Amino acid sequence: WLIVGGCLLASRVYLPAAEWVTVRPREIDTPLHNPMKGWVLIDHAVPGEIDAGQSLPRVADGSAYEWFQDVAVLSTWALVEPQPDRFDWALMDRAMAFWAAQGKRLHLRFSTDQFGRFPGCPEWLYAQGVPRQFQPDGRSFPDYSHPVYRKRLRNFLRVFAVRFCSDPRIETIDLRAYGDWGEWHSGY
């Protein structure tokens, strides 16, 4: 805050009053479209919960959620790599294709923590020796420092990058490989 305050003070000192501009935004009844910030529609690309347009008949104005410019497509590592080196991107592809066709910008989000009833970390990793940790609420997570976890995560990220990093439909990618929501508070 000290730096911000100093910058504001400096701008008042060096900018002549005649050059000041007062802005008073007008009040609106719709969301303010602010690129890379604001409201995001979430589509869970997980079995039984994918939307990919199924909810549109229930949208009051009949549009593809016209208030939302961005759609976050969420999934987990376990769902897209159910077996080592065997990837199933079908739900991601379906959600991405639908929302991109509606003119939405895409945010991809992947987690390694348990996502409701869906595992975040592939079960086969535990069979390869990665220790499982449990939280008080019963959710589990892997030992993020284990060499097998790190090696397999690197492989997943490499495959993910080859598939998605040059896709022009994607605005942001959020890979949450350590802790609840990628915030390191799963006990490690």
Side-chain angles (χ1 to χ4, degrees):
W1 290 111
L2 184 59
I3 292 172
V4 171
C7 290
L8 290 173
L9 181 60
S11 69
R12 288 187 167 238
V13 171
Y14 296 110
L15 185 63
E19 295 181 36
W20 292 5
V21 176
T22 301
V23 177
R24 290 188 179 86
R26 66 178 176 81
E27 188 172 329
I28 59 176
D29 294 329
T30 58
L32 175 65
H33 293 298
N34 192 357
M36 301 183 81
K37 296 182 186 325
W39 287 20
V40 175
L41 179 66
I42 295 176
D43 190 351
H44 297 121
V46 298
E49 294 186 25
I50 186 169
D51 184 306
Q54 293 178 39
S55 64
L56 293 187
R58 295 185 298 277
V59 177
D61 66 3
S63 72
Y65 296 96
E66 55 101 9
W67 283 17
F68 295 93
Q69 291 179 313
D70 304 327
V71 174
V73 179
L74 283 64
S75 193
T76 70
W77 179 12
L79 292 173
V80 297
E81 191 178 4
Q83 297 174 9
D85 301 313
R86 296 196 59 200
F87 298 90
D88 181 0
W89 303 102
L91 291 176
M92 293 296 300
D93 291 342
R94 186 171 137 207
M96 291 173 63
F98 176 80
W99 294 114
Q102 304 304 310
K104 305 301 183 187
R105 295 181 303 227
L106 302 176
H107 301 242
L108 298 188
R109 295 182 182 173
F110 277 87
S111 178
T112 59
D113 272 5
Q114 198 167 332
F115 183 75
R117 61 186 163 90
F118 300 100
C121 184
E123 287 296 317
W124 52 262
L125 268 178
Y126 300 117
Q128 291 183 1
V130 175
R132 184 186 307 259
Q133 309 293 321
F134 289 92
Q135 297 195 65
D137 65 5
R139 291 182 301 141
S140 68
F141 57 95
D143 176 349
Y144 304 121
S145 66
H146 194 276
V148 172
Y149 175 84
R150 296 170 66 104
K151 176 184 174 191
R152 296 304 308 183
L153 178 63
R154 262 192 308 277
N155 183 66
F156 172 75
L157 295 176
R158 182 187 54 76
V159 171
F160 181 92
V162 167
R163 183 170 181 86
F164 293 114
C165 282
S166 61
D167 189 325
R169 303 172 299 172
I170 300 169
E171 181 174 74
T172 58
I173 296 174
D174 181 359
L175 299 169
R176 300 161 180 214
Y178 300 98
D180 278 341
W181 307 108
E183 296 173 0
W184 282 90
H185 58 288
S186 294
Y188 264 89

